């Protein structure tokens, strides 16, 4: 299993889920070479399509996923042509609630950019506020306003953007529901 997780992360396919999971959870990647170990935040690891900050003499030896804080919920929603295919678009949300407000929010989109897309501006919309329907809708709008997914034989850029907005709203709603039950 470690080889599959590490292999998917270092392969850096923008349509793969595991790189985005590493980004949305705040994972740390331990890279080893003859010079020693170096730890890189998943946010800083991906450079673009199939490219990372991994040096030619380095290998990924472990992935450290942090323990979620109490009151944290997560959710992943994706759209694929067939079950088991890479996602045409996916949305991931991790939300920590404290006293009825979003204490921490981490959002990522898959296959809308050349790397896992972290929706930092959308996170800021929700952080520190109650997770109302209007706030969730605004966050989804903000998350997708600047993306320019590629068009290919599976979907147009406009379709991917529309689906990303819908999936992010669903992922946020489910993550909030899960956080309330945590």
């Amino acid at each position: 299993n470690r080889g599959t997780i590490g292999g998917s992360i270092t392969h850096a396919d923008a349509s793969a889920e595991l790189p985005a999971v590493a980004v949305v959870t705040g994972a740390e990647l331990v890279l080893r070479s003859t010079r020693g170990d170096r730890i890189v935040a998943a946010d800083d690891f991906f450079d673009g399509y199939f490219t990372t900050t991994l040096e030619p003499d380095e290998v990924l030896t472990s992935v450290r996923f942090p323990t979620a804080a109490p009151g944290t919920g997560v959710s992943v929603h994706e759209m694929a042509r067939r079950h088991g295919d890479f996602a045409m678009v996916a949305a991931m949300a991790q939300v920590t609630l404290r006293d009825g407000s979003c204490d921490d929010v981490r959002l990522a989109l898959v296959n809308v950019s050349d790397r896992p897309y972290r929706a930092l501006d959308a996170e800021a919309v929700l952080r520190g506020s109650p997770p109302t329907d209007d706030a969730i809708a605004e966050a989804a709008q903000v998350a997708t306003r600047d993306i320019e997914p590629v068009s290919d034989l599976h979907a147009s850029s406009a379709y991917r953007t529309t689906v990303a907005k819908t999936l992010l709203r669903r992922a946020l709603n489910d993550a909030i529901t899960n956080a309330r039950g945590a």
Side-chain angles (χ1 to χ4, degrees), residues 98-159:
R98 183 170 292 131
D99 299 326
S101 291
C102 297
D103 185 50
D104 190 31
V105 179
R106 295 178 66 94
L107 307 171
L109 297 171
V110 174
N111 216 5
V112 299
S113 176
D114 62 349
R115 52 168 289 158
Y117 179 80
R118 178 101 183 267
L120 297 169
D121 290 341
E123 294 173 2
V125 167
L126 292 167
R127 195 171 289 115
S129 302
T132 64
D133 289 341
D134 287 343
I136 291 167
E138 181 183 354
Q141 179 67 35
V142 168
T144 56
R145 73 175 171 216
D146 295 327
I147 62 173
E148 294 182 21
V150 297
S151 292
D152 61 20
L153 65 110
H154 302 293
S156 69
S157 178
Y159 179 75

Side-chain angles (χ1 to χ4, degrees), residues 6 9 17 62 64 70 92 95 127 135 141-142 144 154 159 174:
I9 289 171
E17 292 92 348
S62 65
R64 298 177 183 163
M92 301 181 181
V95 178
R127 195 171 289 115
Q141 179 67 35
V142 168
T144 56
H154 302 293
Y159 179 75
D174 285 354

Side-chain angles (χ1 to χ4, degrees), residues 29-156:
L29 311 175
V30 180
L31 312 177
R32 182 170 291 160
S33 72
T34 56
R35 296 181 309 280
D37 287 354
R38 142 174 109 98
I39 299 172
V40 177
D43 275 342
D44 301 325
F45 183 69
F46 302 99
D47 286 339
Y49 289 113
F50 305 108
T51 57
T52 68
T53 61
L54 192 67
E55 296 293 331
D57 65 338
E58 289 180 315
V59 63
L60 175 66
T61 58
S62 65
V63 181
R64 298 177 183 163
F65 292 98
T67 302
T72 298
V74 296
S75 182
V76 177
H77 281 260
E78 67 177 43
M79 166 79 108
R81 289 178 48 115
R82 293 177 305 269
H83 179 72
D85 281 358
F86 280 105
M88 282 193 288
V89 178
M92 301 181 181
Q94 178 175 291
V95 178
T96 304
L97 297 178
R98 183 170 292 131
D99 299 326
S101 291
C102 297
D103 185 50
D104 190 31
V105 179
R106 295 178 66 94
L107 307 171
L109 297 171
V110 174
N111 216 5
V112 299
S113 176
D114 62 349
R115 52 168 289 158
Y117 179 80
R118 178 101 183 267
L120 297 169
D121 290 341
E123 294 173 2
V125 167
L126 292 167
R127 195 171 289 115
S129 302
T132 64
D133 289 341
D134 287 343
I136 291 167
E138 181 183 354
Q141 179 67 35
V142 168
T144 56
R145 73 175 171 216
D146 295 327
I147 62 173
E148 294 182 21
V150 297
S151 292
D152 61 20
L153 65 110
H154 302 293
S156 69

